[in-house]
Amino acid sequence: MTASAPPLSPAPGPGSGAGPAGDDERLMRVSPLRKLLGRPELGSVVGALAVFVFFAVVADSFLQLSSFGTVLYAASTIGIMAVPVALLMIGGEFDLSAGVMVTSSALISSMFSYQMTANVWVGVLVSLLVTLGLGAFNGFMLTRTKLPSFIITLGTFLMLTGLNLGLTKLISGSVSTKNIGDMEGFSSAKKLFASTWTVGGVGLKVTILWWAVLVALATWILLRTRFGNWIFAAGGNADAARAVGVPVMKTKIVLYMGVAFSAWISGQHLLFSFDVVQSGEGVGQELIYIIAAVIGGCLITGGYGSAIGSAVGAVIFGMTSKGIVYAEWNPDWFKFFLGAMLLLATLLNAWVRKRAEASR
Protein backbone atom coordinates (compact mmCIF):
# COMPACT_ATOMS: atom_id res chain seq x y z
CA MET A 1 0.00 0.00 0.00
CA THR A 2 1.01 3.57 -0.60
CA ALA A 3 -0.27 6.69 1.03
CA SER A 4 -0.16 10.22 -0.25
CA ALA A 5 1.58 12.84 1.82
CA PRO A 6 -0.61 15.35 3.62
CA PRO A 7 -0.80 18.80 2.08
CA LEU A 8 1.94 21.18 3.14
CA SER A 9 0.91 23.92 5.56
CA PRO A 10 3.60 26.58 5.82
CA ALA A 11 2.86 29.63 7.85
CA PRO A 12 1.23 32.50 6.00
CA GLY A 13 3.46 35.29 4.81
CA PRO A 14 3.64 38.58 6.72
CA GLY A 15 0.61 40.71 6.19
CA SER A 16 -1.00 38.16 3.91
CA GLY A 17 -4.03 37.63 6.07
CA ALA A 18 -4.29 34.18 4.52
CA GLY A 19 -4.95 30.95 6.29
CA PRO A 20 -2.68 27.93 6.09
CA ALA A 21 -1.36 27.21 2.66
CA GLY A 22 -2.74 23.71 2.93
CA ASP A 23 -6.20 25.21 2.51
CA ASP A 24 -5.25 26.61 -0.91
CA GLU A 25 -6.03 24.05 -3.58
CA ARG A 26 -3.41 25.63 -5.89
CA LEU A 27 -0.68 24.39 -3.53
CA MET A 28 -2.07 20.89 -3.04
CA ARG A 29 -0.32 17.98 -4.64
CA VAL A 30 -2.17 16.68 -7.68
CA SER A 31 -1.96 13.01 -8.53
CA PRO A 32 -0.77 12.02 -12.03
CA LEU A 33 -4.18 10.43 -12.67
CA ARG A 34 -5.98 13.67 -11.86
CA LYS A 35 -3.61 15.60 -14.12
CA LEU A 36 -4.27 13.10 -16.91
CA LEU A 37 -8.04 13.41 -16.50
CA GLY A 38 -7.70 17.17 -16.79
CA ARG A 39 -6.00 17.03 -20.20
CA PRO A 40 -8.38 18.11 -23.03
CA GLU A 41 -6.85 15.68 -25.51
CA LEU A 42 -7.38 12.56 -23.36
CA GLY A 43 -10.64 11.61 -25.05
CA SER A 44 -9.15 11.99 -28.52
CA VAL A 45 -6.16 9.81 -27.60
CA VAL A 46 -8.51 7.06 -26.44
CA GLY A 47 -10.48 7.46 -29.67
CA ALA A 48 -7.32 7.33 -31.79
CA LEU A 49 -6.23 4.09 -30.14
CA ALA A 50 -9.68 2.59 -30.77
CA VAL A 51 -9.60 3.61 -34.46
CA PHE A 52 -6.06 2.23 -34.85
CA VAL A 53 -6.97 -1.14 -33.33
CA PHE A 54 -10.16 -1.33 -35.40
CA PHE A 55 -8.47 -0.83 -38.77
CA ALA A 56 -5.49 -2.97 -37.75
CA VAL A 57 -7.97 -5.82 -37.34
CA VAL A 58 -10.17 -5.27 -40.40
CA ALA A 59 -7.47 -4.16 -42.89
CA ASP A 60 -4.29 -6.23 -43.20
CA SER A 61 -2.42 -3.60 -45.21
CA PHE A 62 -3.12 -0.91 -42.60
CA LEU A 63 -0.06 -1.97 -40.55
CA GLN A 64 2.40 -1.86 -43.45
CA LEU A 65 5.18 0.74 -43.29
CA SER A 66 4.08 2.29 -46.58
CA SER A 67 0.61 2.78 -45.12
CA PHE A 68 2.14 4.62 -42.16
CA GLY A 69 3.53 7.32 -44.42
CA THR A 70 0.25 7.63 -46.31
CA VAL A 71 -1.80 8.01 -43.13
CA LEU A 72 0.59 10.63 -41.75
CA TYR A 73 0.43 12.60 -44.99
CA ALA A 74 -3.38 12.60 -44.95
CA ALA A 75 -3.29 13.68 -41.31
CA SER A 76 -0.75 16.45 -41.95
CA THR A 77 -2.79 18.10 -44.72
CA ILE A 78 -5.63 18.46 -42.20
CA GLY A 79 -3.43 19.02 -39.17
CA ILE A 80 -1.62 22.06 -40.58
CA MET A 81 -4.94 23.89 -40.61
CA ALA A 82 -6.45 22.21 -37.55
CA VAL A 83 -3.74 23.67 -35.28
CA PRO A 84 -4.56 27.39 -35.79
CA VAL A 85 -8.27 26.59 -36.04
CA ALA A 86 -8.01 24.94 -32.60
CA LEU A 87 -6.30 28.04 -31.17
CA LEU A 88 -9.01 30.20 -32.69
CA MET A 89 -11.72 28.01 -31.17
CA ILE A 90 -10.01 28.16 -27.78
CA GLY A 91 -10.19 31.92 -28.25
CA GLY A 92 -13.94 31.58 -28.73
CA GLU A 93 -14.26 32.07 -32.51
CA PHE A 94 -14.71 30.19 -35.81
CA ASP A 95 -13.36 30.65 -39.33
CA LEU A 96 -15.59 29.29 -42.09
CA SER A 97 -13.36 30.81 -44.77
CA ALA A 98 -10.31 28.67 -43.90
CA GLY A 99 -10.91 26.08 -46.63
CA VAL A 100 -11.31 28.43 -49.57
CA MET A 101 -8.52 30.64 -48.20
CA VAL A 102 -6.12 27.76 -48.87
CA THR A 103 -7.20 27.76 -52.51
CA SER A 104 -7.03 31.57 -52.69
CA SER A 105 -3.43 31.45 -51.46
CA ALA A 106 -2.45 28.94 -54.14
CA LEU A 107 -4.26 30.85 -56.89
CA ILE A 108 -2.58 34.13 -55.97
CA SER A 109 0.89 32.55 -56.07
CA SER A 110 0.27 30.84 -59.38
CA MET A 111 -1.45 33.63 -61.29
CA PHE A 112 0.81 36.42 -60.04
CA SER A 113 3.93 34.44 -60.98
CA TYR A 114 2.60 33.45 -64.40
CA GLN A 115 1.05 36.77 -65.41
CA MET A 116 3.96 38.89 -64.16
CA THR A 117 6.47 36.39 -65.64
CA ALA A 118 8.32 36.65 -62.35
CA ASN A 119 10.25 34.17 -60.27
CA VAL A 120 7.69 31.99 -58.48
CA TRP A 121 9.10 33.12 -55.13
CA VAL A 122 7.71 36.59 -55.87
CA GLY A 123 4.25 35.08 -56.22
CA VAL A 124 4.76 33.08 -53.02
CA LEU A 125 5.65 36.21 -51.03
CA VAL A 126 2.79 38.23 -52.54
CA SER A 127 0.45 35.39 -51.63
CA LEU A 128 1.73 35.45 -48.03
CA LEU A 129 1.03 39.17 -47.70
CA VAL A 130 -2.43 38.95 -49.26
CA THR A 131 -3.42 35.89 -47.24
CA LEU A 132 -2.31 37.49 -43.98
CA GLY A 133 -4.35 40.51 -45.02
CA LEU A 134 -7.41 38.30 -45.41
CA GLY A 135 -6.91 36.95 -41.91
CA ALA A 136 -6.50 40.45 -40.52
CA PHE A 137 -9.67 41.49 -42.35
CA ASN A 138 -11.65 38.70 -40.64
CA GLY A 139 -10.31 39.68 -37.24
CA PHE A 140 -10.82 43.41 -37.79
CA MET A 141 -14.40 42.98 -39.00
CA LEU A 142 -15.16 40.73 -36.05
CA THR A 143 -13.85 43.14 -33.44
CA ARG A 144 -15.27 46.29 -35.05
CA THR A 145 -18.75 45.13 -35.99
CA LYS A 146 -19.32 42.85 -32.94
CA LEU A 147 -21.07 40.42 -35.28
CA PRO A 148 -20.67 36.68 -34.61
CA SER A 149 -17.62 35.11 -36.25
CA PHE A 150 -20.00 32.69 -38.00
CA ILE A 151 -21.52 35.59 -39.98
CA ILE A 152 -18.25 37.41 -40.65
CA THR A 153 -16.36 34.39 -41.92
CA LEU A 154 -19.35 33.02 -43.81
CA GLY A 155 -19.38 36.30 -45.73
CA THR A 156 -15.63 35.97 -46.38
CA PHE A 157 -16.15 32.37 -47.47
CA LEU A 158 -18.74 33.37 -50.06
CA MET A 159 -16.69 36.32 -51.34
CA LEU A 160 -13.53 34.23 -51.70
CA THR A 161 -15.43 31.43 -53.41
CA GLY A 162 -16.72 33.90 -55.99
CA LEU A 163 -13.37 35.65 -56.39
CA ASN A 164 -11.49 32.37 -56.81
CA LEU A 165 -13.72 31.32 -59.69
CA GLY A 166 -14.36 34.73 -61.25
CA LEU A 167 -10.78 36.02 -61.26
CA THR A 168 -9.33 32.69 -62.39
CA LYS A 169 -11.65 32.57 -65.41
CA LEU A 170 -11.03 36.26 -66.14
CA ILE A 171 -7.23 36.01 -65.97
CA SER A 172 -6.54 32.44 -67.12
CA GLY A 173 -9.57 31.91 -69.36
CA SER A 174 -10.51 28.66 -67.58
CA VAL A 175 -11.36 27.37 -64.11
CA SER A 176 -7.76 26.37 -63.44
CA THR A 177 -4.43 28.20 -63.46
CA LYS A 178 -1.68 27.82 -66.02
CA ASN A 179 1.14 25.35 -65.42
CA ILE A 180 4.12 27.07 -63.76
CA GLY A 181 6.29 23.95 -63.43
CA ASP A 182 8.93 25.31 -65.84
CA MET A 183 9.29 28.72 -64.20
CA GLU A 184 12.37 29.89 -62.33
CA GLY A 185 12.32 29.08 -58.63
CA PHE A 186 9.72 26.33 -58.94
CA SER A 187 12.05 23.47 -57.98
CA SER A 188 13.33 25.23 -54.84
CA ALA A 189 9.81 26.16 -53.79
CA LYS A 190 8.70 22.58 -54.37
CA LYS A 191 11.43 21.36 -52.01
CA LEU A 192 10.13 23.61 -49.25
CA PHE A 193 6.41 22.98 -49.67
CA ALA A 194 5.92 19.65 -51.48
CA SER A 195 9.04 17.52 -51.27
CA THR A 196 9.27 13.90 -50.12
CA TRP A 197 12.08 12.22 -48.21
CA THR A 198 12.60 8.57 -47.37
CA VAL A 199 13.12 7.35 -43.80
CA GLY A 200 13.51 3.63 -43.22
CA GLY A 201 11.98 2.86 -46.58
CA VAL A 202 8.92 5.01 -45.87
CA GLY A 203 8.20 8.07 -48.02
CA LEU A 204 7.34 11.07 -45.84
CA LYS A 205 6.01 14.36 -47.16
CA VAL A 206 7.45 17.66 -45.96
CA THR A 207 3.98 18.65 -44.78
CA ILE A 208 4.50 16.27 -41.85
CA LEU A 209 7.45 18.40 -40.73
CA TRP A 210 5.47 21.63 -41.17
CA TRP A 211 2.69 20.09 -39.10
CA ALA A 212 5.01 18.97 -36.29
CA VAL A 213 6.60 22.43 -36.08
CA LEU A 214 3.20 24.14 -35.92
CA VAL A 215 1.96 21.78 -33.18
CA ALA A 216 5.11 22.36 -31.11
CA LEU A 217 4.94 26.13 -31.60
CA ALA A 218 1.23 26.33 -30.77
CA THR A 219 1.69 24.16 -27.66
CA TRP A 220 4.51 26.38 -26.45
CA ILE A 221 2.42 29.48 -27.04
CA LEU A 222 -0.58 28.08 -25.15
CA LEU A 223 1.33 26.72 -22.16
CA ARG A 224 4.37 28.95 -21.80
CA THR A 225 3.52 32.46 -22.96
CA ARG A 226 1.37 35.38 -21.87
CA PHE A 227 -0.33 35.33 -25.24
CA GLY A 228 -1.46 31.78 -24.52
CA ASN A 229 -3.10 32.99 -21.32
CA TRP A 230 -4.80 35.72 -23.32
CA ILE A 231 -6.21 33.12 -25.74
CA PHE A 232 -7.78 31.08 -22.94
CA ALA A 233 -9.06 34.21 -21.21
CA ALA A 234 -10.59 35.67 -24.38
CA GLY A 235 -12.37 32.41 -25.15
CA GLY A 236 -13.49 31.74 -21.58
CA ASN A 237 -15.02 35.15 -20.84
CA ALA A 238 -14.10 38.06 -23.08
CA ASP A 239 -15.66 40.72 -20.84
CA ALA A 240 -13.84 39.47 -17.75
CA ALA A 241 -10.62 39.27 -19.77
CA ARG A 242 -10.96 42.92 -20.83
CA ALA A 243 -11.59 43.90 -17.22
CA VAL A 244 -8.18 42.54 -16.19
CA GLY A 245 -6.33 44.13 -19.11
CA VAL A 246 -6.29 41.39 -21.74
CA PRO A 247 -6.16 42.91 -25.26
CA VAL A 248 -9.02 40.77 -26.55
CA MET A 249 -9.36 42.53 -29.91
CA LYS A 250 -5.67 42.24 -30.78
CA THR A 251 -5.58 38.63 -29.59
CA LYS A 252 -8.41 37.60 -31.90
CA ILE A 253 -6.95 39.46 -34.88
CA VAL A 254 -3.63 37.63 -34.38
CA LEU A 255 -5.46 34.31 -34.13
CA TYR A 256 -7.21 34.93 -37.45
CA MET A 257 -3.86 35.84 -39.00
CA GLY A 258 -2.50 32.55 -37.64
CA VAL A 259 -5.22 30.69 -39.54
CA ALA A 260 -4.29 32.69 -42.65
CA PHE A 261 -0.60 31.81 -42.27
CA SER A 262 -1.38 28.10 -42.16
CA ALA A 263 -3.71 28.55 -45.13
CA TRP A 264 -0.76 30.02 -47.00
CA ILE A 265 1.41 26.99 -46.17
CA SER A 266 -1.34 24.59 -47.26
CA GLY A 267 -1.99 26.61 -50.41
CA GLN A 268 1.66 26.51 -51.46
CA HIS A 269 1.72 22.76 -50.88
CA LEU A 270 -1.35 22.41 -53.09
CA LEU A 271 0.23 24.48 -55.86
CA PHE A 272 3.70 22.94 -55.87
CA SER A 273 2.34 19.39 -55.61
CA PHE A 274 0.27 19.62 -58.80
CA ASP A 275 1.69 22.65 -60.70
CA VAL A 276 -1.86 23.91 -61.36
CA VAL A 277 -4.78 24.81 -59.08
CA GLN A 278 -8.51 24.30 -59.63
CA SER A 279 -10.42 27.41 -58.55
CA GLY A 280 -13.29 25.43 -56.99
CA GLU A 281 -11.18 23.50 -54.50
CA GLY A 282 -11.35 23.97 -50.73
CA VAL A 283 -15.12 24.28 -50.31
CA GLY A 284 -16.18 22.17 -47.33
CA GLN A 285 -12.67 21.69 -45.94
CA GLU A 286 -13.27 24.28 -43.22
CA LEU A 287 -15.70 21.85 -41.56
CA ILE A 288 -13.03 19.13 -41.58
CA TYR A 289 -10.60 21.44 -39.76
CA ILE A 290 -13.22 22.29 -37.15
CA ILE A 291 -14.13 18.60 -36.74
CA ALA A 292 -10.46 17.72 -36.14
CA ALA A 293 -10.22 20.41 -33.45
CA VAL A 294 -13.46 19.31 -31.77
CA ILE A 295 -12.48 15.64 -31.85
CA GLY A 296 -9.20 16.77 -30.27
CA GLY A 297 -11.00 18.23 -27.27
CA CYS A 298 -11.74 21.86 -28.17
CA LEU A 299 -15.05 23.15 -26.87
CA ILE A 300 -17.45 24.87 -29.26
CA THR A 301 -17.98 27.51 -26.56
CA GLY A 302 -14.26 28.37 -26.35
CA GLY A 303 -11.77 28.60 -23.50
CA TYR A 304 -10.76 24.93 -23.54
CA GLY A 305 -8.62 22.74 -25.78
CA SER A 306 -5.07 22.08 -26.93
CA ALA A 307 -2.92 22.03 -30.04
CA ILE A 308 -1.88 18.45 -29.34
CA GLY A 309 -5.54 17.47 -29.29
CA SER A 310 -6.06 18.95 -32.74
CA ALA A 311 -3.11 16.88 -33.97
CA VAL A 312 -4.67 13.71 -32.55
CA GLY A 313 -7.95 14.65 -34.22
CA ALA A 314 -6.13 15.00 -37.53
CA VAL A 315 -4.49 11.59 -37.03
CA ILE A 316 -7.94 10.06 -36.45
CA PHE A 317 -9.08 11.68 -39.70
CA GLY A 318 -6.04 10.29 -41.54
CA MET A 319 -6.48 6.78 -40.17
CA THR A 320 -10.18 6.75 -41.02
CA SER A 321 -9.84 8.13 -44.55
CA LYS A 322 -7.07 5.70 -45.49
CA GLY A 323 -8.27 2.81 -43.33
CA ILE A 324 -11.51 2.64 -45.29
CA VAL A 325 -9.47 2.36 -48.51
CA TYR A 326 -7.20 -0.33 -47.08
CA ALA A 327 -10.24 -2.26 -45.84
CA GLU A 328 -11.61 -2.05 -49.41
CA TRP A 329 -14.86 -0.53 -48.27
CA ASN A 330 -16.98 1.83 -50.30
CA PRO A 331 -15.48 5.31 -49.68
CA ASP A 332 -19.00 6.73 -49.71
CA TRP A 333 -19.20 5.60 -46.08
CA PHE A 334 -16.34 7.91 -45.04
CA LYS A 335 -18.54 10.84 -44.05
CA PHE A 336 -20.73 8.52 -41.98
CA PHE A 337 -17.74 7.30 -39.97
CA LEU A 338 -16.45 10.85 -39.63
CA GLY A 339 -19.78 12.05 -38.25
CA ALA A 340 -20.01 9.10 -35.87
CA MET A 341 -16.50 9.80 -34.58
CA LEU A 342 -17.37 13.46 -34.07
CA LEU A 343 -20.35 12.57 -31.91
CA LEU A 344 -18.54 9.87 -29.95
CA ALA A 345 -15.46 12.03 -29.39
CA THR A 346 -17.55 14.97 -28.23
CA LEU A 347 -19.45 12.77 -25.77
CA LEU A 348 -16.23 11.21 -24.52
CA ASN A 349 -14.55 14.59 -24.11
CA ALA A 350 -17.55 15.89 -22.18
CA TRP A 351 -17.46 12.85 -19.89
CA VAL A 352 -13.71 13.22 -19.28
CA ARG A 353 -14.12 16.92 -18.50
CA LYS A 354 -16.92 16.23 -16.00
CA ARG A 355 -14.80 13.57 -14.29
CA ALA A 356 -11.89 15.99 -14.09
CA GLU A 357 -14.05 18.73 -12.58
CA ALA A 358 -15.64 16.31 -10.11
CA SER A 359 -12.22 15.16 -8.90
CA ARG A 360 -11.07 18.65 -7.98
Side-chain angles (χ1 to χ4, degrees), residues 170-234:
L170 179 64
I171 295 174
S172 301
S174 67
V175 296
S176 64
T177 60
K178 303 295 184 181
N179 192 311
I180 62 170
D182 58 349
M183 291 188 64
E184 183 180 357
F186 184 89
S187 58
S188 58
K190 186 179 179 69
K191 289 180 181 179
L192 180 61
F193 295 108
S195 60
T196 303
W197 75 97
T198 303
V199 178
V202 179
L204 300 176
K205 292 284 189 178
V206 72
T207 50
I208 299 172
L209 179 60
W210 277 105
W211 178 34
V213 170
L214 288 174
V215 171
L217 178 61
T219 301
W220 175 76
I221 289 173
L222 283 176
L223 301 182
R224 293 288 184 266
T225 68
R226 179 182 296 180
F227 185 71
N229 292 333
W230 290 350
I231 295 173
F232 282 109

